[in-house]
Amino acid sequence: MIVLGVESSCDETGLALYDTERGLLSHALHSQVAMHEEYGGVVPELASRDHIRRALPLLEQALNKAGVAKQDIDAIAYTQGPGLAGALLVGSSVACSLGLALDKPVLGVHHLEGHLLSPLLASERPEFPFIALLVSGGHTQLMRVDGVGRYTLLGETLDDAAGEAFDKSAKLLGLGYPGGPAISRLAEFGDPDAYKLPRPMLHSKDFNFSFSGLKTAVLTVVKNREGGMANICEQDKANIARGFVDAIVDVLTAKCVSALKHTGLKRLVIAGGVGANRQLRASLDAAAAKKKFKVYYPELEFCTDNGAMIAFAGALRLQLNPDAAQRDYGFNVRPRWPLDEIEAA
Ligand code: KG4
Ligand code: ZN
């Protein structure tokens, strides 16, 4: 069975073809980062318009790369939510129109389920059950995963998401958008002892997070410098970046370790854009070696938004329940859609 995946929830347009026998056949992606950069963040209306321009050429690319004809597609999975309403509407309407035109069934997929299952696209697949840390630009959640659609939320952020904290702190340091990768690179040159920033909720004895205070701590450090940002030399910027990255990585690692301990599970899966962060990976790998658990990451290219994870999540659902896709082309998007409200497959 060949499933076409369509992702358009934020600022990436992704189309991909996944075959349940042969695996991922192809994926095509366009990132709008360069377009939104001058505004310092995603402009929803521009995002929607760009998805319209990109979707069909990317479909052609994915089909050509895979050597597959449109008629060979068996089902179409698209991101139904959560995300930007206008952006979601583009991918959903493209997917449902294609379904109608080709007479193929369609299936709405939860964006976070796509992220959550993306490490299973890697060559080394974790078995269920596992603990998942979902760290993206919009979400930070710790979950127990017992199967496709069987997710129990253990804890989440009470304010900013991890990616948001990376982006906002990077912005304070004048690093542009999205700042996650940039602040991470800069931190490599920083002195770990120069700034000890707070580790919010490290000892809260639950699995929740709070990152807005950390961003404020960065702001305070910057403000307290005489002359503000203008007076901060490159080395000092790197030191602040290092202080920030060390703090956030410490909290994320500690909460993962305590979720594993609490559930008695030995497998940890990392998903979402911040999962690409090298300091986080190094810290989790070190904890895994020490505490004897195993960590699984998505391939780097599938950490951030992409169509492959949507095609894959759709394919897994269809394998478990062939009726999951329907010839019902009257789509509705769900910009707000808690992950624990989705149905088990
Ligand atoms: O999962 P994703 O592509 O989009 C959402 O669904 O939100 O995640 C994007 C987020 C951004 O906040 C970006 O700064 C962050 O992931 N990110 C990183 C890294 N790569 C992407 N944060 C830290 N280090 C990175 N290497
Ligand atoms: Zn995402």
Side-chain angles (χ1 to χ4, degrees):
M1 177 177 53
I2 295 181
V3 180
L4 168 69
V6 183
E7 157 63 32
S8 73
S9 66
C10 189
D11 59 349
E12 264 100 19
T13 325
L15 282 96
L17 291 158
Y18 183 84
D19 185 337
T20 47
E21 321 247 287
R22 291 183 289 158
L24 186 66
L25 301 180
S26 66
H27 81 107
L29 185 78
H30 175 77
S31 167
Q32 304 175 352
V33 160
M35 184 178 78
H36 297 295
E37 208 172 6
E38 64 176 296
Y39 304 97
V42 177
V43 183
E45 177 60 23
L46 293 183
S48 312
R49 292 186 203 181
D50 201 59
H51 286 308
I52 296 174
R53 277 193 291 270
R54 307 287 174 182
L56 293 179
L58 287 170
L59 170 65
E60 290 303 324
Q61 253 185 50
L63 290 167
N64 289 341
K65 270 198 238 169
V68 162
K70 283 194 190 86
Q71 273 305 335
D72 299 335
I73 296 169
D74 295 297
I76 303 172
Y78 63 94
T79 304
Q80 191 178 10
L84 300 170
L88 289 166
L89 278 168
V90 177
S92 306
S93 55
V94 165
C96 292
S97 326
L98 276 172
L100 179 65
L102 301 170
D103 189 25
K104 306 291 179 183
V106 296
L107 157 74
V109 166
H110 195 292
H111 179 79
L112 297 183
E113 178 167 62
H115 274 303
L116 203 59
L117 299 174
S118 63
L120 277 70
L121 269 169
S123 46
E124 203 187 358
R125 284 172 74 143
E127 295 199 355
F128 298 115
F130 52 76
I131 294 294
L133 173 71
L134 191 65
V135 268
S136 71
H139 295 85
T140 300
Q141 300 187 325
L142 259 173
M143 251 165 307
R144 181 192 164 107
V145 178
D146 286 286
V148 178
R150 296 170 60 204
Y151 313 127
T152 312
L153 185 67
L154 301 175
E156 64 187 331
T157 182
L158 305 179
D159 41 57
D160 291 353
E164 202 177 348
F166 267 96
D167 294 341
K168 286 179 174 170
S169 301
K171 202 169 178 177
L172 290 170
L173 294 175
L175 296 177
Y177 168 86
I183 198 168
S184 163
R185 275 193 300 275
L186 192 59
E188 300 272 315
F189 305 102
D191 171 2
D193 299 316
Y195 294 99
K196 285 277 175 218
L197 297 190
R199 271 105 174 116
M201 298 185 74
L202 185 62
H203 303 294
S204 64
K205 295 199 167 52
D206 57 20
F207 306 110
N208 291 329
F209 306 87
S210 164
F211 295 122
S212 70
L214 189 51
K215 168 202 65 197
T216 311
V218 172
L219 178 66
T220 310
V221 169
V222 172
K223 267 193 176 160
N224 285 348
R225 304 291 311 204
E226 217 170 302
M229 258 301 289
N231 239 2
I232 297 184
C233 68
E234 279 307 304
Q235 183 58 53
D236 208 18
K237 245 194 222 181
N239 293 347
I240 302 172
R242 178 67 187 259
F244 165 80
V245 171
D246 283 356
I248 196 162
V249 163
D250 266 7
V251 176
L252 291 171
T253 306
K255 296 273 170 168
C256 287
V257 169
S258 63
L260 287 162
K261 193 169 165 213
H262 175 79
T263 54
L265 297 179
K266 291 281 175 203
R267 285 181 290 270
L268 175 67
V269 161
I270 308 300
V274 180
N277 183 268
R278 62 165 73 167
Q279 290 94 343
L280 178 62
R281 288 184 175 215
S283 164
L284 290 169
D285 288 343
K290 197 166 150 206
K291 307 267 179 193
K292 307 270 178 282
F293 62 86
K294 200 158 166 41
V295 203
Y296 299 82
Y297 305 98
E299 304 282 351
L300 272 181
E301 62 180 335
F302 300 136
C303 280
T304 44
D305 293 349
N306 63 85
M309 67 184 193
I310 302 302
F312 180 61
L316 288 184
R317 282 196 163 259
L318 283 166
Q319 277 181 309
L320 293 167
N321 172 17
D323 292 334
Q326 300 268 320
R327 285 179 169 73
D328 174 4
Y329 306 114
F331 58 90
N332 67 318
V333 297
R334 303 187 64 177
R336 287 177 193 280
W337 185 8
L339 185 58
D340 49 7
E341 277 181 16
I342 68 173
E343 289 166 21

